[in-house]
Amino acid sequence: MKKQAFSRQEIEIQDGYSPGLIGEITRAHAVYYSENWGFDVNFEAQVATELSEFCLRLNRETDGLWASYSEGNFVGSVAIDGSLREVQGARLRWFIVSPTFQGTGIGKMLFRKALDFCYEKQFQSVFLWTFKGLEAARSIYEKAGFVINQDHPSSGWGGDIIEQKFVIDFRKLATFREASK
C-alpha cells in the first residue's frame, strides 16, 4: 500500500532545539532500531548521550537541528554537526522518520533541509554513518550524490551489522542543487 505524500502545510518543521526534543529523537531511534534490528540499551544510551552533548554546544552558524511534526506529534528529525567540518566534513546525524510516515516524502524533505544548510554554509563535504540494510535511506543518500567511503562489521549495539560511512564532496559535484533533485 502506497502512503500518501504530505503537503508542507500538514507538516511543521521546527528549526533548533526545544524542550523534550532530545527525548523524542532518542525514543524514536531506540524503539525503531530495537524493534527492527534488535539494538539494545547501549544504542539508546549512545544516542541520548551524543545528542545531549550536541544540543548543549549547538552553534547555529555551523550546526543544524530539525524536527518534523504532524498535528503536534513528532514524526522525524535530522541534524548537521559542523564541529568537524574543517577536518572530516560536516556530519549528518539522527536522521529518522517514524514508521507510520516512512514513504510519504517527509524523510526527503528533512534530508533536503539538512543538505541545503550545508550548501548555504559552504561546507566542502558531508559524511554520515549508517549500516547495511536501510535501503530506503540509502536510496536517498545515493540520489543526492553520497558514496560509500568505508564499511566494517560491528556488534556493539546488540545486533550484528555492517556499518557504512557515506560521503558527499560538494567540490566534485557540477552543481549540488541539480544532483540532489
Side-chain angles (χ1 to χ4, degrees):
M1 181 171 121
K2 185 171 170 131
K3 296 182 181 179
Q4 177 184 349
F6 289 84
S7 72
R8 292 193 184 269
Q9 292 81 19
E10 295 169 336
I11 297 298
E12 173 193 350
I13 296 185
Q14 171 191 301
D15 185 353
Y17 170 80
S18 65
L21 185 57
I22 294 169
E24 290 175 321
I25 293 172
T26 299
R27 183 179 195 293
H29 278 78
V31 170
Y32 179 80
Y33 290 105
S34 173
E35 289 177 355
N36 293 284
W37 296 93
F39 286 10
D40 62 19
V41 67
N42 291 300
F43 177 74
E44 182 174 358
Q46 182 176 338
V47 170
T49 300
E50 292 178 6
L51 180 57
S52 296
E53 291 168 352
F54 171 79
C55 287
L56 285 170
R57 64 170 171 72
L58 187 65
N59 175 347
R60 294 176 69 81
E61 290 301 311
T62 58
D63 305 315
L65 177 61
W66 300 272
S68 58
Y69 294 86
S70 175
E71 298 179 1
N73 296 308
F74 175 85
V75 297
S77 66
V78 69
I80 293 293
D81 181 346
S83 65
L84 299 173
R85 70 192 175 281
E86 300 295 329
V87 181
Q88 296 180 20
R91 184 174 180 187
L92 190 141
R93 306 193 74 183
W94 304 297
F95 179 42
I96 194 161
V97 175
S98 300
T100 306
F101 290 87
Q102 290 176 1
T104 64
I106 293 171
K108 289 177 186 173
M109 190 170 27
L110 285 167
F111 191 75
R112 182 59 188 228
K113 191 110 175 134
L115 287 188
D116 282 348
F117 174 84
C118 294
Y119 185 76
E120 289 163 14
K121 296 297 180 179
Q122 299 181 354
F123 295 155
Q124 294 184 7
S125 64
V126 180
F127 72 96
L128 63 92
W129 281 99
T130 187
F131 61 92
K132 190 174 184 175
L134 299 174
E135 299 308 320
R138 180 179 177 152
S139 174
I140 292 172
Y141 307 149
E142 290 177 338
K143 284 180 183 174
F146 279 81
V147 294
I148 293 179
N149 176 279
Q150 296 178 40
D151 66 356
H152 59 83
S154 178
S155 59
W157 297 321
D160 293 330
I161 58 169
I162 304 294
E163 284 191 272
Q164 298 175 316
K165 182 179 181 183
F166 281 79
V167 178
I168 187 171
D169 186 338
F170 291 138
R171 297 167 298 184
K172 292 182 180 177
L173 295 177
T175 59
F176 163 71
R177 297 215 185 262
E178 289 302 313
S180 64
K181 285 185 180 176

